[in-house]
């Protein structure tokens, strides 16, 4: 997590209309960067990576927020207003071009898979349905 990425995430966050939307956009965009960073053949020092992300999250959102809580948020129904927001997708594409919009369903599915492995519960619900729709028609605009 370098300064350039942090600046991009903060700029994207400022485009939210209110505190809740800004916080949600920050969580999702930061979580997408975290998940995209896992797509490497190199060994990952999770303690170091998580510490860097957690420090940035703490400085941005305050106490009680961690990369774990971000990923949990991204696996639940509360993420839906963000992933269905055309404004978010446009802002994310402008500020974070290193993560293609087309990869978002895959990254969210990866996150759901990890949540399923931890909880033992099947990944169902609005987010799982959204992922299926997006994978079936990747060029279709958000509903």
């Amino acid at each position: 997590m370098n300064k350039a990425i942090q600046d991009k995430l903060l700029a994207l966050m400022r485009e939210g209309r209110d505190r809740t939307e800004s916080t949600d956009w920050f969580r999702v965009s930061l979580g997408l960067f975290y998940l995209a960073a896992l797509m490497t053949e190199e060994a990952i020092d999770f303690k170091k990576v998580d510490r860097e992300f957690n420090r940035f999250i703490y400085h941005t959102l305050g106490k009680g927020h961690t990369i774990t809580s971000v990923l949990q948020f991204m696996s639940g129904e509360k993420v839906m207003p963000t992933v269905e927001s055309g404004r978010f997708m446009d802002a994310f594409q402008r500020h974070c071009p290193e993560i293609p919009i087309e990869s978002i369903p895959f990254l969210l599915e990866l996150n759901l898979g990890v949540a399923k492995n931890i909880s033992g519960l099947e990944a169902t619900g609005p987010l799982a349905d959204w992922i299926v729709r997006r994978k079936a028609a990747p060029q279709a605009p958000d509903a």
Side-chain angles (χ1 to χ4, degrees), residues 7 24 27 34 36 43 61 65 73 86 104 109 124 136 142:
D7 290 344
D24 291 353
R27 287 176 178 156
Y34 181 87
L61 299 180
H65 300 276
F73 172 82
I104 291 175
E109 186 175 42
T124 61
D142 288 332

Side-chain angles (χ1 to χ4, degrees), residues 5-81:
I5 292 172
Q6 291 176 359
D7 290 344
K8 290 176 182 192
L9 294 172
L10 294 173
L12 188 144
M13 181 182 185
R14 284 190 288 274
E15 290 199 32
R17 290 183 177 153
D18 57 30
R19 182 173 178 248
T20 300
E21 186 176 75
S22 293
T23 300
D24 291 353
W25 285 20
F26 174 79
R27 287 176 178 156
V28 172
S29 56
L30 180 107
L32 291 171
F33 267 97
Y34 181 87
L35 293 166
L38 300 180
M39 301 291 105
T40 180
E41 292 184 13
E42 297 175 21
I44 298 172
D45 181 349
F46 281 100
K47 285 184 181 182
K48 180 182 177 196
V49 172
D50 288 359
R51 187 173 31 251
E52 290 173 9
F53 274 81
N54 285 336
R55 184 177 303 120
F56 179 55
I57 293 166
Y58 176 81
H59 289 303
T60 305
L61 299 180
K63 286 175 62 172
H65 300 276
T66 63
I67 191 60
T68 302
S69 67
V70 165
L71 296 174
Q72 287 172 341
F73 172 82
M74 290 177 59
S75 66
E77 189 172 345
K78 290 181 179 182
V79 76
M80 294 309 299

Side-chain angles (χ1 to χ4, degrees), residues 62-112:
K63 286 175 62 172
H65 300 276
T66 63
I67 191 60
T68 302
S69 67
V70 165
L71 296 174
Q72 287 172 341
F73 172 82
M74 290 177 59
S75 66
E77 189 172 345
K78 290 181 179 182
V79 76
M80 294 309 299
T82 301
V83 298
E84 291 181 329
S85 169
R87 288 179 44 253
F88 170 77
M89 292 297 179
D90 290 343
F92 187 81
Q93 197 165 25
R94 276 186 284 109
H95 292 287
C96 309
E98 50 273 269
I99 300 178
I101 293 294
E102 301 80 31
S103 71
I104 291 175
F106 169 78
L107 294 171
L108 291 173
E109 186 175 42
L110 172 67
N111 190 46
L112 281 180

